[in-house]
Amino acid sequence: MSGARSEWPLWEVFVRGRRGLSHTHAGSLHAPDAQMALRNARDLYTRRNEGVSLWVVPSAQITASSPDEKDPFFAPSADKPYRHPTFYEVPEGVENL
Amino acid sequence: MTTVLPGHGPEAPGEAETEAFQAVFDAAVAADERIEPRDWMPDAYRATLVRQIAQHAHSEIIGMQPEANWISRAPSLRRKAILLAKVQDEAGHGLYLYSAAETLGTGRDELLDKLHTGRQKYSSIFNYPTLTWADVGAIGWLVDGAAITNQVPLCRCSYGPYARAMIRICKEESFHQRQGYELLLALSRGTEAQKAMAQDAVDRWWWPSLMMFGPPDDESAHSAQSMAWKIKRHSNDELRQRFVDICVPQAESLGLTLPDPELRWNEERGHHDFGPIDWSEFQQVLKGNGPCNEQRISQRRAAHENGAWVREAAAVYAGKHATEHTGARNGEAA
Amino acid sequence: MSTAARPDGPGTMAALALGDDALILAQRLGEWAGHAPELEEEVALANIALDLLGQARTLLTLSGDEDELAFRREERDFRNVQLVEQPNGDFAHTIARQLYFSTYQELLYGQLAGGTEPLSALAAKAVKECAYHRDHAEQWTLRLGDGTEESHRRMQTALDALWRYTGELFRPVEGLDVAWDTLEDTWRASVTGIVTQATLTPPEGPQAAPWAAGAGRQGVHTEPFGRLLAEMQHLHRSHPGASW
C-alpha cells in the first residue's frame, strides 16, 4: 500500500446477520486501513441493526476464480445430481427420511 | 496473473472469441440472468452502466445538499432526527452506488473527479432550491416518490451489483417518501401559514418532479438500447404516467392541489391526463443554468478539497503503521 | 415562555445540563452534513449526531417538553458547557472537540449508570454510544497527529485552541452524584495518553478563561452560541403554537 496516495483502498465487507448465520458479503467501502474499514463498515452496513459481527477484507486480497475457468470450475458439479436429496426416490408413506 | 480484482474484466479476447462471448451475454440477458462483474460484456453496455450508476451515485450525494440545508433549522427535535437520518442514508446510498460502479473498473476518485469537473451529471432536480421547511416534505413526497418509481424496476436490472445496490436502497428508502408525506400532512392540517407553505412547496416541486423521468420516449437518446439490455425495464413516459396516477389521490388526501389545470382522469385510457411539460426549462437546467447548479457543484468541490489533507493524513498513517488486525478465526491475529 | 421551559430542582437541572450538552453538540455535528472529508465520514459523523440527539431528547423530556425546551429558551437558560457550542472549524477542531467531550461523557455516564434513576437507565444505554464516539475521536486523533506535517500542525492547533474550554467539564453539577476528582484524573490520563501516542503535545495552558461571570453551566456562553440558537430556533419561533 503506497503511503503517499490519498485515495483509500477498497475493502469488501461481510456481515453476520445474527448468531447462527455465516458472514455474507454486504458490499464494499473505502478506508485508509483495517481499523477504519471496520468502523466504517459498522456505520454503513449495520446502522439498521443488520449485524452482530463484521469482517473486512482488502478487495485486492481476494483471489477470484477467473471467468475463463468457468466451465472446468463449476460445470462438473452440475452433473452430479446424486449429491442432492431430491435425486432419490422414496416410496410414499416412508417418513423421517 | 491469477489474482483478478473484482471489477477488472478478463483480458480482451480476439475477434473470433468476441462473437462467442456476445452470444453468451445475449443469452444471459434474454434468460433474465444477471451479468456479474467479471463476465464478458459489450463495451457499450459497460459504458452505459458506468454512466448511469455514476449519475445515480452523484445524485445521491448532491441530493444531500438541498435537504441538509434544513437540518440546523428543523422545527422539532423529532423532525431534526428524521432529516439527519435521511440525509445520512443518502450518503450511504451514494456509497453503495459508487461501489457498484467500481465493480466495472472505474474508481470512485475518477468518478468524483468527473462530477467535480462537470463531465458527469447528476439529477437536475437537485439544482432547485429548498426555500422553506415545506420543501423538505415536498422532496420526500414528490422527488423521492419519483425516484422510487424509477428505482423499483432497477432492482431487476440485468447488472447484478447495480440490482443488489438498488434492492438495499429501495428497502432503506421506504421511510423517505413516507416522512415527506407525513411532514406535508402536518403542515396541511396546521395553521393557515403552514398550509400555505405546503401548497407553495408542492406548486414549485411538481413539474420538476415530472421532469425527473427524463425526456419523452421519442426524444430519449439512450432508452431503446437500455431497454434491450434490461438495464431499464419501463420507458420514461410509462413511469411518469404511473407516478402521476399515484400522486393524484395522495394530493387529495393531503388536502393540497397539484398545479396543473389540465390534470384529469381519462376513463378511456384508465390514466390521468396531464398538461404539457416545459422541456425548455429542463434543457436549461441540464445545461447548467438552473437556480443552484453552480452552488451545488461548488459546495461539493469545496468539501472534497477541504478534506484532501484529512484523507492524505489517514493514508500516510496507514503507510507508517502496519495495522494490527484480528483474524476471523478464533485465536488468529496478525 | 411557558412553565414547562423553566424547570427547577437539582434533578431536572442536571438532566437539563446533560441534555443541552448532547443537543448542542448534535446541532454542531449536523452542520457537517454534505461537508465531510470523505463519504464514509459523512455517515460516521451523522451516526454520532443521531446518538447525541437521541440522548438529548430523552434528557430534555425528563425536564419538560423537549421542543419547548430546545426552541423556546433564551441563551441564558441553556446549561451546556461552552466546549460543545464551539464552531466546527476544520476537521481537526471537530475531532479535538469530540475527543475532549466524548472522553468526558463516557466517564460521566459510566459513573451515573451505577447511580440512581432516572438518569442511571439513560446513562447505561448512552455510555456504549459514548465509548464508540470516543473511539472514533481517538482513531482520528492518531491519524491526524501521526499523519502528515500539515495534519499534525492542524491537530495540535485544535487541541490547544479548545483546551481552555475543558476546565468546565469537571465543575460539579448540582444533582449529579459523581466523583468529580476521579473523573478529572481519569479524563486527563486518557486524553494525555492518546495525544502522546499521536505524537502530539498535551496542551498546558489554563483550562478556563479568568472571568467571574461563570461559564456554560451558569448560562454564560460564548459569542458563537447566540448565532447557533438563532438558526436552530428561528423557524419554530416564527410559528407560535404550531405543530410540526
Side-chain angles (χ1 to χ4, degrees):
Chain A
M1 193 183 307
S2 148
R5 283 191 47 200
S6 61
E7 189 181 9
W8 296 343
L10 194 64
W11 300 74
E12 301 301 323
V13 178
F14 299 82
V15 179
R16 185 199 294 285
R18 58 169 201 273
R19 290 174 174 283
L21 297 179
S22 55
H23 288 75
T24 48
H25 187 237
S28 53
L29 50 75
H30 286 266
D33 54 50
Q35 293 303 319
M36 293 305 281
L38 262 186
R39 286 157 177 82
N40 292 344
R42 178 262 194 193
D43 286 334
L44 184 61
Y45 288 105
T46 67
R47 68 188 189 285
R48 283 178 167 82
N49 253 328
E50 293 98 330
V52 296
S53 167
L54 285 168
W55 289 349
V56 291
V57 184
S59 307
Q61 293 292 316
I62 290 180
T63 305
S65 59
S66 118
D68 302 349
E69 296 160 357
K70 199 177 199 169
D71 282 348
F73 247 67
F74 302 114
S77 65
D79 66 355
K80 295 182 180 60
Y82 45 80
R83 286 200 167 112
H84 302 275
T86 46
F87 179 75
Y88 302 92
E89 227 173 276
V90 177
E92 241 177 272
V94 179
E95 287 177 0
N96 300 320
L97 188 68
Chain B
M1 172 160 148
T2 51
T3 308
V4 186
L5 305 189
H8 290 245
E11 296 293 313
E15 255 179 65
E17 280 179 296
T18 305
E19 241 172 78
F21 282 143
Q22 177 80 50
V24 171
F25 172 86
D26 289 343
V29 171
D32 255 338
E33 278 183 28
R34 297 288 177 263
I35 305 299
E36 293 296 342
R38 296 165 66 251
D39 292 342
W40 183 91
M41 60 186 88
D43 290 343
Y45 176 83
R46 182 184 298 271
T48 298
L49 276 171
V50 170
R51 195 190 64 238
Q52 181 173 336
I53 300 173
Q55 174 167 336
H56 200 159
H58 298 331
S59 300
E60 293 284 353
I61 62 167
I62 294 285
M64 295 168 72
Q65 289 183 33
E67 291 179 278
N69 185 33
W70 283 93
I71 292 173
S72 64
R73 294 177 286 173
S76 73
L77 297 186
R78 175 173 174 268
R79 292 284 174 206
K80 193 189 288 289
I82 292 169
L83 184 56
L84 190 50
K86 178 170 189 269
V87 173
Q88 181 195 40
D89 269 354
E90 278 148 17
H93 298 169
L95 276 169
Y96 303 154
L97 289 162
Y98 283 121
S99 297
E102 284 185 89
T103 62
L104 292 159
T106 315
R108 193 201 294 174
D109 265 20
E110 188 183 331
L111 298 172
L112 283 177
D113 188 56
K114 285 187 171 155
L115 169 66
H116 297 156
T117 52
R119 284 174 295 153
Q120 278 178 346
K121 299 203 177 309
Y122 53 89
S123 176
S124 273
I125 193 77
F126 301 116
N127 290 317
Y128 290 86
T130 46
L131 300 177
T132 74
W133 169 251
D135 289 27
V136 173
I139 288 186
W141 178 46
L142 294 174
V143 175
D144 290 329
I148 290 167
T149 310
N150 262 328
Q151 285 169 359
V152 167
L154 286 174
C155 296
R156 294 186 297 126
C157 163
S158 61
Y159 187 58
Y162 192 25
R164 290 193 286 277
M166 290 319 302
I167 289 170
R168 185 178 271 269
I169 289 172
C170 285
K171 210 193 276 174
E172 295 187 354
E173 277 196 356
S174 51
F175 95 81
H176 290 191
Q177 190 189 14
R178 205 171 269 212
Q179 67 82 34
Y181 179 90
E182 190 208 63
L183 192 163
L184 287 175
L185 190 64
L187 294 180
S188 174
R189 290 176 175 173
T191 65
E192 238 170 82
Q194 284 178 305
K195 181 161 187 184
M197 194 192 281
Q199 185 61 59
D200 167 65
V202 169
D203 289 348
R204 280 181 291 110
W205 287 95
W206 173 249
W207 291 107
S209 300
L210 294 191
M211 296 177 197
M212 284 176 70
F213 297 93
D217 294 346
D218 48 3
E219 292 163 33
S220 179
H222 307 293
S223 274
Q225 181 61 72
S226 287
M227 299 266 280
W229 278 331
K230 296 187 182 170
I231 293 174
K232 228 176 134 143
R233 297 277 182 164
H234 305 279
S235 79
N236 295 352
D237 287 332
E238 265 173 57
L239 290 170
R240 190 169 10 247
Q241 181 69 60
R242 186 180 299 176
F243 177 67
V244 171
D245 290 338
I246 289 171
C247 285
V248 170
Q250 290 180 352
E252 217 165 286
S253 68
L254 279 172
L256 299 171
T257 57
L258 296 170
D260 179 359
E262 295 177 41
L263 191 63
R264 66 179 54 85
W265 176 251
N266 182 325
E267 190 65 53
E268 210 171 293
R269 291 203 306 124
H271 292 291
H272 291 86
D273 290 338
F274 51 97
I277 292 170
D278 181 359
W279 290 108
S280 65
E281 175 181 317
F282 177 76
Q283 292 302 337
Q284 280 299 316
V285 178
L286 200 63
K287 271 188 207 148
N289 299 325
C292 300
N293 298 56
E294 184 54 38
Q295 182 189 331
R296 300 286 186 244
I297 278 296
S298 298
Q299 181 184 322
R300 185 58 220 134
R301 227 184 272 139
H304 191 72
E305 285 163 12
N306 293 336
W309 68 271
V310 177
R311 295 191 300 275
E312 197 194 344
V316 168
Y317 178 90
K320 285 189 205 174
H321 301 262
T323 328
E324 295 159 24
H325 54 264
T326 315
R329 307 289 167 197
N330 187 26
E332 258 177 47
Chain C
M1 191 163 58
S2 82
T3 47
R6 199 182 279 289
D8 36 25
T12 43
M13 282 310 292
L16 202 58
L18 303 184
D20 287 349
D21 282 350
L23 172 64
I24 301 306
L25 188 54
Q27 177 77 5
R28 280 296 187 214
L29 289 173
E31 292 171 16
W32 270 106
H35 299 272
E38 186 54 280
L39 279 175
E40 281 80 0
E41 198 53 30
E42 290 278 359
V43 181
L45 290 170
N47 261 351
I48 297 172
L50 284 168
D51 283 346
L52 289 165
L53 194 50
Q55 295 169 12
R57 295 183 63 190
T58 308
L59 285 159
L60 293 184
T61 303
L62 290 177
S63 308
D65 177 81
E66 59 175 30
D67 287 334
E68 191 76 12
L69 287 164
F71 296 102
R72 308 286 299 172
R73 271 182 301 160
E74 301 295 327
E75 182 172 331
R76 279 296 176 105
D77 296 320
F78 277 82
R79 290 289 178 261
N80 55 284
V81 290
Q82 291 179 350
L83 176 66
V84 296
E85 73 204 33
Q86 297 312 306
N88 287 339
D90 65 3
F91 189 65
H93 277 77
T94 290
I95 291 302
R97 193 182 59 201
Q98 285 302 113
L99 179 69
Y100 291 158
F101 184 75
S102 59
T103 305
Y104 160 77
Q105 206 192 15
E106 185 191 0
L107 294 169
L108 181 64
Y109 283 2
Q111 289 201 28
L112 294 175
T116 52
E117 291 286 347
L119 285 184
S120 57
L122 168 274
K125 173 176 181 282
V127 73
K128 292 181 205 138
E129 297 170 350
C130 303
Y132 192 78
H133 304 169
R134 177 187 48 74
D135 174 74
H136 172 265
E138 289 185 350
Q139 296 298 331
W140 273 113
T141 301
L142 290 172
R143 280 158 185 77
L144 298 183
D146 196 12
T148 62
E149 251 174 64
E150 181 184 7
S151 68
H152 180 90
R153 176 177 53 75
R154 284 177 183 263
M155 193 64 213
Q156 187 67 57
T157 304
L159 288 171
D160 293 344
L162 292 169
W163 185 248
R164 79 191 62 167
Y165 301 107
T166 55
E168 191 186 357
L169 301 175
F170 314 111
R171 290 211 199 142
V173 177
E174 207 190 335
L176 291 188
D177 185 17
V178 166
W180 295 97
D181 289 346
T182 313
L183 197 160
E184 180 169 4
D185 291 345
T186 318
W187 181 90
R188 194 176 297 274
S190 173
V191 167
T192 305
I194 204 75
V195 165
T196 310
Q197 195 189 332
T199 74
L200 295 156
T201 311
E204 281 177 356
Q207 283 180 274
W211 197 28
R217 295 277 189 243
Q218 288 80 46
V220 180
H221 295 277
T222 54
E223 286 187 355
F225 190 51
R227 281 202 181 76
L228 179 151
L229 283 189
E231 187 172 334
M232 185 173 86
Q233 297 182 335
H234 159 261
L235 176 60
H236 183 98
R237 283 179 180 247
S238 301
H239 297 265
S243 309
W244 302 95

